[in-house]
Amino acid sequence: MTLRCLLVDFNSYFASVEQQLCPELRGRPVGVVPMLADTTCCIAASYEAKAFGVKTGTQVAEARRLCPGIVFVVARHAEYVQIHHRAVAVVDTIAPVEQALSIDEMACSLPMGWTSRERATQLALRLKTALREALGECLRVSVGIAPNVFLAKQASNLQKPDGLVVLDSTDLPGPLLRMQLTDLTGINVRMLARLQAQGIHSVEHLWRARREQLRVVWGGMAGEAFYDRLHGLASGVQAANPRRSLGHSHVLPPEMRSAEGALAVLDRLTQKAAMRLRREHLLAGAMTVMLKLTRRHGERLRPERGARFAPTADTRALLHTLRELWPGMVPAGWAPMKVAMLLHDLRQPGQTSASLFEGDVPGSAAEQAALWSAVDALNVRYGRHTIYCGSGHQGREEAPMRIAFNHIPDLETEG
Ligand SMILES: [Mg+2]
């Protein structure tokens, strides 16, 4: 089991960027919010705020109660993206960046000759110094070094902030046993229930489970792949995470908290997502729409609907699906606070056969592709609101650049 992957994870990234850019925020508890409103929640918290129990997702009012001295700043996504690109460039001079896993995480392969524990550690220390010199003292990182991306990610989670942890065969499962199952990448609440149904209640049980058992839990090959990643049998950096979904979410400002407002924003998000699909030469075969609703006494509802369809990157076909899913999603008396749409079942055009049912959308597949590439080119050339489907008109100002979980915004399509 050789060390092959070095993973860099920025600590409290958005809040650290703010502290770097605004020296008056340094050493103070900071909450980064999408807008200044008591009903919104923190999308990031500085280490000083985390010490008071403020986390990503903590409501502003609650954060103020936990930490009376907290300073709220409105997120500046364009800054975060720019610094991300600078960080990638710096890291890349030291270890080749194979994949940016998110805005604040990148996976590198260890160069030849640097795969021993000592040498890899030296490289990580050099990298920390280079990042500090290039970006500033507030931007600290936790580095994980392991045989594959999955283990390197767990290693980077073991020590924060400013961590450096190596995990190889002599260390395993050691420190992993202190973790909860849901701390492991790829184990969400749904997967936890399936593991528990198989008698797997801890990371130790999971470590001792046989490969076939995990195959049963995951319902297929994915279980065996997980077994290999966990035990360090799958090695390298490239194997991880081909893009499996693409989407956007948006916290609605007060004036858009109606069914019509929410739909208009979803319409814009769908148009943006479609443009990204085309830029990445992908087709989507499924869509999920998720809402966060509230009612007078603070009750919450999270409706979610999905549909499958013939793989497409056509904006009109995707908008058509959105409108089929929509009716009844916002029951009377409820106010939408947040909307999200996700395109999944992504594939490359060659992996699919043409749809036999294109009746909804006029023109041949080739004509549609030509139309959308012209639209995309005009929007890149003249700005993002040059041409769009009229159905999204009301929401046009409400889908600015956002940073989703696993997506680095492309300044060209989203700027
Ligand atoms: Mg991070």
Side-chain angles (χ1 to χ4, degrees):
M1 199 159 117
T2 322
L3 297 173
R4 287 189 198 281
C5 176
L6 183 153
L7 189 134
V8 181
D9 177 18
F10 279 86
N11 305 129
S12 291
Y13 179 64
F14 296 172
S16 302
V17 171
E18 293 298 338
Q19 288 177 321
Q20 187 60 44
L21 296 176
C22 313
E24 67 276 16
L25 295 175
R26 295 183 195 174
R28 298 182 66 182
V30 175
V32 179
V33 292
M35 74 196 83
L36 292 174
D38 264 17
T39 47
T40 190
C41 58
C42 298
I43 57 171
S46 70
Y47 266 81
E48 295 82 359
K50 284 179 179 167
F52 288 88
V54 179
K55 297 184 285 205
T56 300
T58 304
Q59 280 234 332
V60 163
E62 171 70 359
R64 208 175 271 130
R65 194 185 64 75
L66 290 167
C67 178
I70 193 166
V71 185
F72 294 105
V73 295
V74 175
R76 292 182 286 172
H77 293 284
E79 303 281 356
Y80 310 153
V81 174
Q82 268 179 19
I83 293 179
H84 163 81
H85 289 303
R86 277 167 56 200
V88 170
V90 171
V91 172
D92 203 49
T93 60
I94 293 170
V97 175
E98 301 289 353
Q99 207 180 8
L101 302 170
S102 68
I103 185 87
D104 72 337
E105 273 178 2
M106 50 207 93
C108 312
S109 49
L110 285 169
M112 273 223 301
W114 292 87
T115 56
S116 71
R117 179 179 283 258
E118 295 68 30
R119 297 275 277 166
T121 304
Q122 272 176 33
L123 200 72
L125 292 172
R126 254 174 57 189
L127 197 148
K128 281 170 179 264
T129 309
L131 283 172
R132 193 166 52 239
E133 282 169 3
L135 305 177
E137 57 185 296
C138 297
L139 287 146
R140 287 179 297 175
V141 296
S142 285
V143 175
I145 297 168
N148 59 40
V149 178
F150 172 82
L151 288 172
K153 173 70 190 145
Q154 314 317 313
S156 76
N157 284 339
L158 287 167
Q159 208 178 73
K160 284 180 176 178
D162 206 18
L164 170 50
V165 174
V166 180
L167 275 185
D168 70 10
S169 50
T170 60
D171 306 301
L172 289 172
L176 295 184
L177 301 182
R178 297 201 302 266
M179 302 176 97
Q180 304 284 319
L181 282 169
T182 47
D183 292 338
L184 299 176
T185 309
I187 299 190
N188 56 18
V189 187
R190 227 173 275 176
M191 189 53 71
L192 179 68
R194 298 172 64 156
L195 286 164
Q196 286 169 340
Q198 290 288 318
I200 297 172
H201 297 278
S202 66
V203 174
E204 188 173 359
H205 292 159
L206 182 67
W207 179 263
R208 284 206 248 113
R210 285 169 298 112
R211 190 194 238 107
E212 299 73 52
Q213 213 177 337
L214 297 192
R215 190 188 165 97
V216 172
V217 174
W218 264 263
M221 293 293 287
E224 297 185 31
F226 187 88
Y227 179 96
D228 291 345
R229 288 198 295 273
L230 178 66
H231 290 268
L233 301 172
S235 76
V237 180
Q238 314 271 23
N241 293 325
R243 187 195 271 292
R244 291 172 64 188
S245 67
L246 178 161
H248 296 286
S249 66
H250 189 69
V251 176
L252 299 173
E255 69 275 15
M256 299 299 277
R257 289 176 188 167
S258 61
E260 308 74 63
L263 179 59
V265 173
L266 277 167
D267 186 298
R268 282 291 306 172
L269 296 180
T270 305
Q271 297 194 39
K272 273 172 65 172
M275 188 169 171
R276 266 178 61 206
L277 272 182
R278 297 189 293 265
R279 279 185 73 83
E280 298 187 22
H281 304 286
L282 291 170
L283 303 175
M287 176 191 284
T288 303
V289 177
M290 290 154 286
L291 302 179
K292 202 161 131 184
L293 309 176
T294 59
R295 205 153 59 166
R296 236 179 318 153
H297 303 295
E299 295 150 278
R300 288 171 187 213
L301 197 63
R302 293 172 177 269
E304 181 180 321
R305 282 188 192 167
R308 299 200 152 273
F309 38 83
T312 185
D314 184 285
T315 303
R316 286 173 301 176
L318 295 169
L319 289 175
H320 182 74
T321 302
L322 170 66
R323 282 186 164 66
E324 282 184 342
L325 292 174
W326 183 252
M329 278 196 83
V330 182
W334 290 85
M337 304 296 282
K338 186 177 173 183
V339 298
M341 66 87 48
L342 201 63
L343 296 174
H344 34 121
D345 195 4
L346 302 188
R347 57 190 76 189
Q348 295 185 321
Q351 288 172 263
T352 176
S353 49
S355 169
L356 296 172
F357 306 100
E358 282 179 337
D360 287 343
V361 181
S364 69
E367 281 167 1
Q368 289 166 36
L371 168 67
W372 290 113
S373 69
V375 168
D376 293 345
L378 285 167
N379 282 329
V380 168
R381 177 82 175 76
Y382 295 104
R384 67 192 161 105
H385 293 324
T386 306
I387 300 190
Y388 54 89
C389 294
S391 53
H393 185 67
Q394 196 198 342
R396 71 197 179 285
E397 296 305 331
E398 288 306 327
M401 190 169 62
R402 284 289 163 209
I403 293 168
F405 245 109
N406 54 358
H407 159 57
I408 319 303
D410 177 338
L411 290 171
E412 244 184 20
T413 52
E414 299 176 44

